[in-house]
Amino acid sequence: MWYKTKVTEQCGIDYPIIQAGMAGSTTPELVATVSEQGGLGTIGAGYMTPETLEQEILQVKTLTSKPFSVNLFVPEPFTYTDEDVTAMNDFLAPYRETLQLEKPTIGQHDPSTFDTLVNIVIQQQVPVCSFTFGIPDEQTIQRLKEAGIVLIGSATTVDEAKKVEVAGFDAVVAQGSEAGGHRATFDDTPKTSPLIGTMALIPQVVDHVSIPVIAAGGVMDGRGWVASHALGAQGVQIGTAFLTTHESQAKAVHKHAIFNSVETDVIVTHELSGKPARGISNAFIQHLRQEGPVILPYPIQNDLTKQIRATAGKLGKSAWMHMWSGQGVRLARDVDAATFFTQLIQNAQSQVEKFKV
Amino acid sequence: MWYKTKVTEQCGIDYPIIQAGMAGSTTPELVATVSEQGGLGTIGAGYMTPETLEQEILQVKTLTSKPFSVNLFVPEPFTYTDEDVTAMNDFLAPYRETLQLEKPTIGQHDPSTFDTLVNIVIQQQVPVCSFTFGIPDEQTIQRLKEAGIVLIGSATTVDEAKKVEVAGFDAVVAQGSEAGGHRATFDDTPKTSPLIGTMALIPQVVDHVSIPVIAAGGVMDGRGWVASHALGAQGVQIGTAFLTTHESQAKAVHKHAIFNSVETDVIVTHELSGKPARGISNAFIQHLRQEGPVILPYPIQNDLTKQIRATAGKLGKSAWMHMWSGQGVRLARDVDAATFFTQLIQNAQSQVEKFKV
């Protein structure tokens, strides 16, 4: 079958369909459902503590014996001034006052936390581990490989994909400009990201690396899946279409916004976290953009705004939260993950039929 | 065959492959070659005088008896101040001095020129006419339809595509963000354009219109063509890959820049013409962006910079010209148009084979 690729072989899965590691929105139920259906569920561990990650892995294991993945954010160096933090906190003060929030403390961001997360992945023998925002050091890659863990990197340009290959990864997710959530860019300044559309990015990456390429960005149904394989990808990573499934823990108001948005409502913003990310525009982003002080680098900006966004999310206040989403919003569906997965496979098969004549 | 679609039927062509109407870069040879190969060549008449258009149509007719197309720019209202023109001319003065150019006069931009161009298309019984930057008035559409001319519109969003359908067009080109040259956006302010990636745009447009959708943006070879059909498109429009063929009259230095660029060198700029367009970044764009005065609206900004760009092009001075290009630069080839076309068909067939297993 056309969908039996090096990716299905490497990961030991039936279909080369990876549920994206959407930090903050995945649940053990979502991960396990995708894996049970024959795809690769991913625990979005980008913001998790070691304790939470371990707990989530154990929960996934109680729900499925099939392969699954953990996605980690590679820590990057960053610098900032206390003046900029003060200016941003002053700007955000009225938001906190309305939501009755204390001024936040900046997180520890101890790079050793990353090592602890990696250790858990190894100890728990997680079959696949994917990385966003860069490439871990040689020693970390070596340890993961010795543990027999399949490694997937992320790239937004051909050069980044080449670096992922050189570092020894087994496969690379090529993230097109359509993709929701954080840009995986690591070869760039924090504020911008090359926005190469999936249609242009995939064949160019495929021509320049020998590891399998997994397409991400705009893939919402069987059409996008088949199109990605036509472009030379050996699998797809799907975010937004899984974010709106019942098993995702994205806030109801976030899912509602996706169902009620059109493609032009979705923008790239670095104002919320300090790193460019794609989501639905709202008043908080526009206020920061138009009147805000200097945006701090990731993860500091994230520290300063996250309470506001989380509390707004709980209150259903869409104007003040983050609503990550790709550009394919009109194709998002209010379904459970198993139904989405089944329809994806069926839809792809019917697309493929048309090429048989 | 999978590529026999409503578009091949409407246009009377063998393959639903449209050579984009790249204003300033098409030649009768390019247009006729594409049509002779079974695709649809397009005279890029966006900046042509009626005399030139008539001459080009007659030349194409001597070279082929197959269907071909003319692409026209729909005139839009615009306003500007003499102060802004003066400021821009002052800014551009050192460029003109170096190139020994006189201060330019602003063109007439008499909207009746558009009517004259339409009349020529009708008189010459051009089989297909495509439009960029909007929708002609009802009467014009009526006249073209009565003459039996197939009408193709352009859209960059679902809403624009719906407007094209409502206006009575036979098909719509959905232009993804990857596409080179001017953004076809007409539902927007002049400086920005929604940049929806082809992978996300095509299926969303397909779901919202009943006329056939032609994919544009990032399609450089058989992979992109097949992928576009997987997404639901019934044809493709290809620009950059035809721009670098021997028959295109794009400047040698422009083609050379495309062959030597990578995807991240390609940006969207409104600084050269007053309308957003995708091309390779250079010193002229960056100077205008960083230090230039207010950018005039299209077509005034175009009037003010075009001599500089044209003269720079003749001198091979890539830093001061426009070098329109899509994001698929690494896939551009230095070939003649017939060879490109043949390889496109062969490549597509081999992509399709993989879906038969």
Side-chain angles (χ1 to χ4, degrees):
Chain A
M1 293 300 285
W2 60 272
Y3 54 78
K4 296 295 183 185
T5 66
K6 210 161 171 182
V7 172
T8 52
E9 200 184 296
Q10 288 169 333
C11 299
I13 53 180
D14 296 329
Y15 304 102
I17 295 166
I18 301 177
Q19 165 248 314
M22 304 167 286
S25 294
T26 70
T27 61
E29 291 70 28
L30 175 60
V31 175
T33 302
V34 174
S35 290
E36 276 294 301
Q37 292 290 321
L40 188 74
T42 304
I43 298 174
Y47 301 126
M48 283 183 191
T49 60
E51 296 69 35
T52 310
L53 175 58
E54 187 159 35
Q55 202 180 348
E56 293 246 341
I57 292 171
L58 293 171
Q59 278 183 273
V60 170
K61 284 182 175 176
T62 65
L63 296 169
T64 184
S65 57
K66 301 242 180 142
F68 65 96
S69 172
V70 165
N71 177 261
L72 298 177
F73 290 170
V74 182
E76 295 164 288
F78 57 88
T79 56
Y80 65 97
T81 67
D82 291 340
E83 287 71 29
D84 285 345
V85 171
T86 304
M88 184 54 70
N89 272 333
D90 288 350
F91 181 81
L92 296 173
Y95 289 90
R96 291 193 214 289
E97 205 170 307
T98 306
L99 299 173
Q100 297 179 294
L101 295 170
E102 297 293 311
K103 201 197 288 188
T105 51
I106 287 174
Q108 290 289 320
H109 305 298
D110 180 351
S112 76
T113 305
F114 177 73
D115 296 326
T116 312
L117 293 167
V118 168
N119 288 342
I120 291 167
V121 168
I122 292 171
Q123 283 155 16
Q124 291 292 329
Q125 298 171 47
V126 175
V128 182
C129 190
S130 66
F131 294 88
T132 307
F133 302 150
I135 297 171
D137 62 36
E138 232 171 284
Q139 211 189 343
T140 303
I141 291 180
Q142 196 56 33
R143 285 199 300 136
L144 286 156
K145 283 171 92 83
E146 279 166 11
I149 295 168
V150 176
L151 301 183
I152 302 178
S154 306
T156 60
T157 64
V158 172
D159 282 350
E160 287 179 346
K162 284 182 187 171
K163 287 182 185 173
V164 167
E165 176 170 40
V166 167
F169 280 77
D170 297 291
V172 60
V173 172
Q175 186 196 40
S177 61
E178 296 91 331
H182 279 98
R183 304 289 308 147
T185 302
F186 57 92
D187 246 9
D188 206 49
T189 60
K191 285 193 192 178
T192 60
S193 165
L195 293 168
I196 316 300
T198 305
M199 184 69 84
L201 181 63
I202 303 305
Q204 293 186 92
V205 172
V206 165
D207 286 352
H208 287 88
V209 297
S210 54
I211 53 175
V213 176
I214 297 156
V219 180
M220 294 291 291
D221 58 21
R223 294 177 288 188
W225 180 25
V226 174
S228 297
H229 282 244
L231 293 173
Q234 299 194 38
V236 287
Q237 180 167 286
I238 297 180
T240 310
F242 280 118
L243 188 97
T244 61
T245 61
H246 303 162
E247 290 85 348
S248 131
Q249 65 173 344
K251 299 281 186 297
V253 65
H254 182 174
K255 293 178 183 177
H256 182 262
I258 292 176
F259 296 138
N260 289 281
S261 291
V262 297
E263 70 282 10
T264 48
D265 297 326
V266 181
I267 62 163
V268 175
T269 170
H270 75 288
E271 284 83 0
L272 299 185
S273 70
K275 254 186 194 295
R278 191 178 281 289
I280 298 170
S281 184
N282 64 7
F284 191 32
I285 295 170
Q286 294 305 327
H287 188 209
L288 278 161
R289 185 169 291 187
Q290 286 154 25
E291 298 171 40
V294 174
I295 303 295
L296 280 289
Y298 179 90
I300 306 303
Q301 183 71 11
N302 197 55
D303 286 342
L304 301 184
T305 68
K306 69 184 177 189
Q307 282 178 310
I308 294 168
R309 293 181 278 125
T311 308
K314 279 179 200 153
L315 298 172
K317 195 170 173 59
S318 62
W320 292 7
M321 54 191 288
H322 62 261
M323 297 183 288
W324 304 142
S325 172
Q327 291 185 320
V329 279
R330 293 179 190 255
L331 305 172
R333 296 287 172 265
D334 184 8
V335 288
D336 62 81
T339 301
F340 169 72
F341 203 95
T342 308
Q343 289 175 350
L344 176 67
I345 308 294
Q346 286 171 350
N347 182 224
Q349 295 297 17
S350 74
Q351 299 311 316
V352 160
E353 285 307 314
K354 70 183 167 202
F355 293 117
K356 293 183 178 169
V357 294
Chain B
M1 293 300 287
W2 59 273
Y3 55 77
K4 295 295 182 185
T5 65
K6 210 162 172 182
V7 172
T8 52
E9 199 185 296
Q10 287 170 333
C11 300
I13 54 181
D14 296 329
Y15 304 103
I17 296 167
I18 302 178
Q19 166 248 314
M22 304 167 287
S25 295
T26 71
T27 61
E29 292 70 28
L30 176 60
V31 175
T33 302
V34 174
S35 290
E36 276 294 301
Q37 293 289 321
L40 188 73
T42 304
I43 298 173
Y47 301 125
M48 283 183 191
T49 61
E51 296 69 35
T52 310
L53 175 59
E54 187 158 36
Q55 201 179 350
E56 293 246 340
I57 292 170
L58 292 171
Q59 279 183 272
V60 170
K61 285 182 174 176
T62 66
L63 296 168
T64 184
S65 58
K66 301 242 178 142
F68 65 96
S69 172
V70 165
N71 177 260
L72 298 176
F73 290 170
V74 182
E76 294 164 288
F78 57 88
T79 55
Y80 65 97
T81 67
D82 290 340
E83 287 72 29
D84 285 345
V85 171
T86 304
M88 184 54 70
N89 273 333
D90 289 349
F91 181 81
L92 297 173
Y95 288 91
R96 291 194 215 288
E97 206 169 307
T98 305
L99 300 173
Q100 298 179 293
L101 295 170
E102 296 292 312
K103 203 196 286 190
T105 51
I106 288 174
Q108 289 289 319
H109 304 297
D110 180 351
S112 76
T113 304
F114 177 74
D115 296 326
T116 312
L117 293 168
V118 168
N119 289 341
I120 291 167
V121 168
I122 292 171
Q123 284 155 13
Q124 291 292 331
Q125 298 171 48
V126 175
V128 182
C129 190
S130 66
F131 295 88
T132 308
F133 304 149
I135 297 171
D137 63 36
E138 233 172 282
Q139 212 190 341
T140 303
I141 291 180
Q142 196 56 33
R143 285 200 299 136
L144 285 156
K145 284 170 93 84
E146 279 168 10
I149 295 167
V150 176
L151 301 183
I152 301 178
S154 306
T156 60
T157 63
V158 171
D159 282 350
E160 287 179 347
K162 284 182 186 170
K163 287 183 185 172
V164 166
E165 176 170 41
V166 167
F169 281 77
D170 297 291
V172 61
V173 172
Q175 186 196 40
S177 60
E178 295 92 331
H182 279 98
R183 304 289 308 147
T185 303
F186 57 93
D187 246 9
D188 205 50
T189 60
K191 285 194 193 179
T192 60
S193 164
L195 293 169
I196 315 300
T198 305
M199 184 70 84
L201 181 63
I202 304 304
Q204 294 186 93
V205 172
V206 165
D207 287 352
H208 287 88
V209 298
S210 55
I211 53 175
V213 176
I214 297 156
V219 181
M220 295 290 290
D221 58 21
R223 293 176 289 187
W225 180 24
V226 174
S228 297
H229 282 244
L231 293 173
Q234 299 193 40
V236 287
Q237 181 167 286
I238 297 180
T240 309
F242 279 118
L243 188 96
T244 61
T245 61
H246 303 162
E247 290 85 348
S248 131
Q249 65 174 343
K251 298 282 185 298
V253 65
H254 182 174
K255 293 179 183 177
H256 182 263
I258 292 176
F259 296 139
N260 290 282
S261 291
V262 297
E263 69 282 11
T264 48
D265 297 326
V266 181
I267 62 163
V268 175
T269 170
H270 76 287
E271 283 84 359
L272 299 185
S273 70
K275 255 187 193 294
R278 191 179 282 288
I280 298 169
S281 184
N282 64 8
F284 192 33
I285 295 170
Q286 294 305 329
H287 188 209
L288 279 159
R289 183 168 292 186
Q290 285 154 24
E291 298 172 41
V294 173
I295 304 295
L296 279 290
Y298 179 92
I300 305 304
Q301 182 71 13
N302 197 56
D303 286 342
L304 301 184
T305 68
K306 69 184 176 188
Q307 282 179 307
I308 294 168
R309 293 182 277 124
T311 308
K314 278 179 200 152
L315 298 172
K317 196 171 173 58
S318 61
W320 291 7
M321 54 190 289
H322 63 260
M323 297 183 288
W324 304 143
S325 173
Q327 291 183 320
V329 279
R330 292 178 190 256
L331 305 172
R333 296 287 172 265
D334 184 8
V335 288
D336 62 81
T339 302
F340 169 73
F341 203 95
T342 307
Q343 289 174 351
L344 176 67
I345 308 295
Q346 287 171 350
N347 182 223
Q349 295 298 15
S350 74
Q351 298 311 317
V352 160
E353 285 307 313
K354 70 183 168 202
F355 294 116
K356 294 185 178 170
V357 293

